[in-house]
Amino acid sequence: TAATAAGVPAFAPALRVARSYSLGHHAGLPRAMGEAIGIGLLALAGLAVARLVGAAPLLRSGATVLALGALLLATVSQLVMAHALIGASRFGALGAMRVAGALAGSVGLAWGAVQGRELAAALGLALGQGVSVLVAVRALRALPPSPEAAGASAPEPQRRAAIAAAVLGGPMLWLAQALVSHRPDGAGEMARIAAVTPLVAAVLFVPGQLGQAWFAIIARATDVRATLRRALQVTALAGGLVGVALAATSPWWAGAYGPGFEALPSVAVPLLAAAAIQGTVAPAVRVLEARGHVADTVWLNTVLAAVAVGGTLASARFGAAGYAHAVAAAFALHGLLLAACVWWRTRPPAPAAVP
C-alpha cells in the first residue's frame, strides 16, 4: 500500500516523460527519475517517522523500514521507466520489463515466504522492480537519437493537476472500502470485495494494456476522433467479453468460495460492469493526457470520487453490495462525462473567416 501511494505523486513526472517520448523528444528522463527518487525518499522518511513515534506497529524494525524504502524507490523508478517505454511505443521491451520483474519478484517473494519474514518479502519485491528497471534502461539506451533539436521537449502537463487526478482515483476507492470495513460485519464484507478483485483485474488487463499502447498513437494522430473510435471498439470488445462472461456465470463460480459468499454475485456483477466501463474508456483518458488536457481529468475524477464515496455512504446498510453499486454508478457517469469532454476537446477548429 505504501508503494502504491508513493506512485500517486510520481505519476506527474512519469506522464511528462511519456508525452515527451511519444512526440519523439528522447529527453527529460534524468530529471523525471530524480523527481521520482525524491518522492520515494520522502515516503521513506515518512515511514521512518511513523516507526519512531509508534504509529506503524507493523514496522517492527529499522531493517523493515529500509527494505520498504528500497521497494518504494524501485516502484517509483519502474513507473517512470515504464511510461518512457509506453511513450516510445517500445511495447516489446515493456513486456520484457514486466515479465523479468515479475519473475524476479516471484523468486524474491518465495524466498520471503520461506524465511517467514516481511523483511525478506519486501526485499524480494524490490529486487523484482529493480530488475525491471534495468531491463528498461537497456531498452531506452537503444533508442535512436531524437531527430528534433537538442533542446526540444514536449509541453509539460500541469504537475498539480496530474497529482490531483491520481489522488482522486484509486485512493478514493480505498476510502469507500474503508467505510464498508467499519460495518459490524466489516471483515466479511471486505472479504467479498477482495474475492472479486482478481476478476476485476482480469477484465481490466487487456483494455489497460491496449490503452497504454494507444498513448503514443493518439499523441501523434492528426484525426484524433477517428483514432479514438478505433481504439474504443477494440477495448470495448476486449473488456466487455470477459466482463459479460464472468458476470453471467457468477452464480456458478461464486459457490466455490464456500459459506458466507452466497450473495457474492450481488457484489461481483456491478464491480465487473464498472471494470468493463473503466477498461473501455481507457483510450479516452489517454486522449486527455496525451493532448495536454490533464486538468480535465481532475474534475472528472472528482465526480467519480464523489459518487463512489457518497453512494457508499448512502447505501451503507447494504455493505459490499452497496459499495459495488456505487462504484458502478460512478464509473458509468464518469464514462459519459469523459465521452462528452473528449468530444468537445477534439472538435475540429472553426474555419478561418474569409476577408
Side-chain angles (χ1 to χ4, degrees), residues 146-238:
S146 174
E148 285 77 9
S153 62
E156 182 170 345
Q158 302 95 319
R159 181 185 307 274
R160 292 178 182 176
I163 295 175
V167 170
L168 290 166
M172 289 298 103
L173 295 182
W174 299 346
L175 174 59
Q177 291 180 12
L179 297 174
V180 175
S181 70
H182 281 80
R183 285 179 47 79
D185 185 28
E189 301 289 358
M190 290 302 297
R192 296 180 188 94
I193 296 173
V196 183
T197 299
L199 304 178
V200 169
V203 174
L204 287 174
F205 179 74
V206 174
Q209 301 305 308
L210 292 174
Q212 292 181 347
W214 283 97
F215 185 97
I217 299 172
I218 290 170
R220 296 190 293 261
T222 54
D223 189 345
V224 179
R225 287 186 174 181
T227 303
L228 179 60
R229 278 196 296 270
R230 292 194 297 271
L232 290 176
Q233 290 169 1
V234 175
T235 52
L237 184 63

Side-chain angles (χ1 to χ4, degrees), residues 1-205:
T1 302
T4 304
V8 171
F11 177 69
L15 178 57
R16 184 179 68 245
V17 166
R19 292 191 62 207
S20 177
Y21 275 70
S22 68
L23 297 176
H25 308 297
H26 302 158
L29 185 58
R31 175 188 169 191
M33 283 294 293
E35 292 180 12
I37 291 174
I39 291 167
L41 291 174
L42 286 174
L44 173 58
L47 290 176
V49 171
R51 167 77 175 81
L52 290 174
V53 301
L58 291 178
L59 301 178
R60 298 184 179 91
S61 66
T64 303
V65 173
L66 292 176
L68 286 176
L71 177 58
L72 289 169
L73 293 174
T75 298
V76 295
S77 300
Q78 187 263 359
L79 178 67
V80 173
M81 289 293 186
H83 276 73
L85 291 174
I86 290 169
S89 297
R90 295 299 191 269
F91 298 107
L94 180 65
M97 168 188 178
R98 288 178 171 163
V99 169
L103 290 176
S106 298
V107 172
L109 276 177
W111 174 60
V114 170
Q115 297 293 321
R117 299 174 62 189
E118 67 275 10
L119 170 61
L123 286 175
L125 286 173
L127 172 66
Q129 299 283 37
V131 169
S132 66
V133 169
L134 292 177
V135 173
V137 168
R138 182 177 179 182
L140 291 171
R141 283 181 176 176
L143 289 176
S146 174
E148 285 77 9
S153 62
E156 182 170 345
Q158 302 95 319
R159 181 185 307 274
R160 292 178 182 176
I163 295 175
V167 170
L168 290 166
M172 289 298 103
L173 295 182
W174 299 346
L175 174 59
Q177 291 180 12
L179 297 174
V180 175
S181 70
H182 281 80
R183 285 179 47 79
D185 185 28
E189 301 289 358
M190 290 302 297
R192 296 180 188 94
I193 296 173
V196 183
T197 299
L199 304 178
V200 169
V203 174
L204 287 174
F205 179 74

Side-chain angles (χ1 to χ4, degrees), residues 327-346:
V327 170
F331 275 105
L333 179 58
H334 177 268
L336 291 174
L337 294 175
L338 175 64
C341 180
V342 171
W343 190 259
W344 172 258
R345 288 297 190 185
T346 58

